[in-house]
Amino acid sequence: MSLGSRVERLPRTPVADAGRHPDLVGRARQLREITALLGHGSADSRALLLSGEPGVGKSALLGEVARVMSAAGARVLSAVGVQFESALAYAGLHQLLLPLNDRIERLEDTHRRVLRSALGYGGDPVPDSLHVSHAVLFLLRRVATERPVFIVVDDLGCFDRASSAVLDFVARRSAGSRIGLLAACRSGAETFLDRAGFTEYELPPLDRDAAVELLGARFPRLTGPARDRVLAQAQGNPLALVELPATLGGPQHHAPADLYDVLPLSPRLRSRHASRVARLPAESRRLLLLLALDDTGDPGVLRAGLRAGSDDPKALTALSAVESDRLITFDDTSRRFVFRHPLMRAAVVEASTLTERCQAHRTLSEIRAQAPERRAWHLGRATLVPDERVAALLEEAGHRAARRGDAAAAVATFTRAAELSPRPADRGRRLTRAAYLAADATGELHAASELLDRARCADPDRTGSLTAATRVLLLLNGGDGDIDMAHRLLVEAIETGSHGYDAGDDALIETLHVLQLVCWSAGRDELWKPFHAALDRLKPAAPPLLAACLDRLTEPLDVSWDAVRRGRRGGHVRRHIDALMHLCLQAFPAGRWEEAETLAAEGLTICEERQYPFSSWYFEYHQALLAAVRGQFEESRSTADRITQWAVPRGVLTAAAFADHARVLAELGAGDDECAYRHAVAISPAGRLAPHAPYALWGCMDLVEAAVHTRRTAEAEAHVRAMREAGVAALSPRLALLVAGSAALVAPDDDAVGCFEQALAVPAAQDWPFDLARIRLAYGERLRRMRFVTEARAQLEAAAEVFERLGARPWADRAAGELRATRRSRTGAKHGSVTLTGQEQEIAVLAASGLTNKQIGERLHLSPRTVGSHLYQLFPKLGIASRAGLRDALASLPGGNAF
């Protein structure tokens, strides 16, 4: 077909194709950098070569850059390299210049004839490359005088040699001409272009966050291990992310155990990658299959594989053949073999037969003889009929994987062990273990339910504590979350089980952990009795971790971000969530509120994505706390209300108590001490520390402060006494600070200074900045009332600085108000020869604003009677007889119009 016959053909351009590509998730930075390098079509435009692996999103990015340039006013000329046209001279140039046909016809005769001949429009001989290049540059410069010209070329590796030479010529001479050029090709691809004239930009794969976002947008129902498998296999390649999930059947979207060794390729991906493997020699394919199924890149696997195939005289050259075909490479940093493209591993597996895969797995089981988990897994994949020996090895490997936190691997391994179990009882037991881990660790409720059903089919008579524990986890996270029903199921299973209360029975211990969670969540003393009874009967003794967890929330465990990363890597969602919970609990009192906010948001996302709705309230509680201390009272109250509305019908009273804690801080910040007190005693009554509710200790000083502010002196003193008798201060440094601060709040004036100083001297008190600043604020308020103005200012200024830094707006305002009162206390307010004390003026201003004596007393920590007495003395000083005259009287004072 002649070039002239293609004049009417509409070329496929990156701009036209951009809508067919996934949204440019995670490419904002690259887009900014590329457009900056190109100069936005200005006089300093330059040529840029975009490279990257196949499927990394080069075409989509080219289309978006072209759209941006067009929106900025540039004229975009586009072309796409086509393999079968790569031998046709000027085929690519024909695509580029097609929109400029009318401009070509208006050129002077020499350039017009050269271009028409090159593009196949006339019968003249095709001119030499230099003449064509000059003519193209002349045309583009003329067009660029009207508006910038932007050239976009996709798949440069398939661009013909003649057109490439023209592009190279234009790129080298486009400086100052408002002509920009962006071309894309595969990394390492051979092109006819001299790259020396181009700035090269390597487009990396998407990072994990962007990959998760893209996968979630395209496949929102893909969750858990299936999603993780796609992410791992795609390695950030956008095309792989949108194509691989299409190969999964419905059950595989949820069931981690039913996934393939390597996810199969879609027809589109298969056509791109599998053909390269199919044409390799058999020995090369065998070695690649070992690497693909082992998936570690360990050079020892290849060495052992070469020995295993040493009877083939070509074995020693097979590896060289694979490397020369650019399918794998050796990473000098990791000292591992890696596939050059993330999908090549899948292509290798897909190109193999079942017999070849089984043989490869058997070879790998021998190579991995010293790695029990890997050996068992490879044996399991090589075995196609029930075999108890292999099933037992897999079961032990599953326990190993579970102990190290790799929950997804454990579920898959237990499931494969069940499939290879000849006896129904063993099959049911192993499926139940897989179901429990799926419900408890991975959050795959759909998979857990299916596995439990399969266990019931395999062994209809099977009962036991682990079955009950799995049902409870499904009930809490997937059902209505009824605590009483969950408690009954667990207690019945424990009390009627055949375990003999053996502390070495893993199923019993795990069930007790679930019962403990249920009892803690319920927040009712009576539900703990069966748990303690079972704990006392354990022989020879209860495991230390189970016993220690009883008071695990008195203070957060010392958890690091490593625990979060381990939970992410191993797919152990519950550990991930637990780690986030404790990190939130560490971050908030430590004053790392932005970190706490990030952690809470991540926790809510995990709970939503991985089907753990039962844990969501905990992260909402932290959001309510943060809103309270920042002065976002309505947001805090509405979040707390949402928690309570969810928790109370389900019997999750601990969540309701946590919501009350957020309400206490919100009301203290808002100045409603009466309401704060009511919520505080709902968590734990004044003078009593609720058993099995260590979280009540976090708000002990809140209760005392609210009681003091509402003139409930006896209740405040009783609560301090209860804390001292229970030895709360010895439990942790933070609780020691809260106890000391509470004691200072109730101390009489004669002892107050000493008590507050003791609180400030608590070791490591500075580690809890918000608590310490609140104590300083209370200390400053007391000192001001005792007329120690200078000393009060020191405490108040220190408190105000911390509140400002933390963003605790209500407390910062309160401290600032107290500081203003200290200044008034020193100078007074004069009216003629009459002087008002700072406290008198503050009471007068509040009364003039319409507050009652009781409201003024709550605000200033005075009794209504004391407020009335001050007002009685104020009226004659100001020459008035009632409150009605306060506003005018105060306005007449020097500077008194600011109330």
Side-chain angles (χ1 to χ4, degrees), residues 551-562:
D551 296 319
R552 70 189 186 279
L553 285 174
T554 299
E555 282 295 288
L557 299 177
D558 187 12
V559 175
S560 70
W561 277 96
D562 288 339

Side-chain angles (χ1 to χ4, degrees), residues 663-879:
R663 291 189 183 100
V664 171
L665 280 180
E667 301 309 335
L668 284 174
D672 192 340
D673 298 315
E674 181 64 34
C675 191
Y677 180 79
R678 289 199 303 271
H679 289 304
V681 296
I683 301 172
S684 185
R688 177 173 174 264
L689 302 180
H692 302 110
Y695 47 82
L697 301 180
W698 308 338
C700 61
M701 191 172 77
D702 301 331
L703 188 154
V704 172
E705 182 178 347
V708 168
H709 290 180
T710 56
R711 318 305 296 175
R712 291 180 171 92
T713 305
E715 289 86 344
E717 291 174 344
H719 210 61
V720 173
R721 190 161 53 249
M723 286 188 281
R724 283 174 166 166
E725 290 173 355
V728 171
L731 297 176
S732 76
R734 185 192 174 210
L735 290 177
L737 177 64
L738 295 181
V739 172
S742 299
L745 284 170
V746 301
D749 285 352
D750 290 347
D751 300 327
V753 172
C755 289
F756 275 109
E757 290 294 336
Q758 287 179 11
L760 299 182
V762 168
Q766 67 279 359
D767 291 343
W768 322 110
F770 184 58
D771 298 326
L772 183 60
R774 287 175 61 191
I775 293 171
R776 288 190 182 277
L777 173 59
Y779 190 12
E781 290 171 335
R782 180 74 71 91
L783 288 169
R784 185 180 71 79
R785 289 197 298 274
M786 295 167 64
R787 307 304 175 96
F788 298 135
V789 177
T790 302
E791 293 82 354
R793 285 186 63 80
Q795 297 300 329
L796 294 170
E797 285 172 349
E801 187 276 327
V802 173
F803 293 140
E804 288 287 350
R805 175 168 53 83
L806 293 175
R809 189 75 265 150
W811 281 266
D813 291 343
R814 184 170 146 192
E818 288 290 327
L819 280 168
R820 287 193 298 271
T822 62
R823 288 192 288 270
R824 290 195 297 268
S825 294
R826 288 191 308 199
T827 61
K830 297 184 178 180
H831 178 64
S833 60
V834 176
T835 300
L836 303 183
T837 67
Q839 190 168 73
E840 285 175 335
Q841 181 161 349
E842 195 164 14
I843 290 172
V845 169
L846 293 174
S849 70
L851 296 183
T852 66
N853 287 3
K854 181 180 179 182
Q855 291 171 327
I856 296 171
E858 290 177 353
R859 184 74 60 90
L860 301 181
H861 312 149
L862 301 172
S863 70
R865 180 175 297 177
T866 301
V867 173
S869 176
H870 278 295
L871 287 172
Y872 180 77
Q873 297 173 30
L874 274 172
F875 292 163
K877 285 186 178 182
L878 296 174

Side-chain angles (χ1 to χ4, degrees), residues 388-403:
E388 178 56 28
R389 181 184 68 87
V390 176
L393 289 173
L394 282 167
E395 183 176 18
E396 178 55 35
H399 284 296
R400 288 173 180 266
R403 284 194 292 270

Side-chain angles (χ1 to χ4, degrees), residues 318-399:
L319 181 58
S320 298
V322 171
E323 286 195 284
S324 65
D325 205 33
R326 300 180 62 81
L327 297 182
I328 63 171
T329 187
F330 187 73
D331 189 326
D332 290 327
T333 302
S334 64
R335 311 300 297 172
R336 289 287 188 270
F337 283 100
V338 294
F339 285 95
R340 287 185 178 271
H341 192 276
L343 294 178
M344 192 52 64
R345 177 170 170 256
V348 169
V349 175
E350 190 148 325
S352 67
T353 65
L354 175 61
T355 301
E356 289 170 337
R357 289 194 295 276
C358 287
Q359 181 58 51
H361 278 300
R362 277 192 290 272
T363 300
L364 287 169
S365 71
E366 296 169 1
I367 294 173
R368 296 299 189 185
Q370 303 305 313
E373 282 184 54
R374 286 188 169 275
R375 175 173 177 262
W377 179 254
H378 288 301
L379 279 174
R381 302 307 285 180
T383 305
L384 301 180
V385 297
D387 186 322
E388 178 56 28
R389 181 184 68 87
V390 176
L393 289 173
L394 282 167
E395 183 176 18
E396 178 55 35
H399 284 296

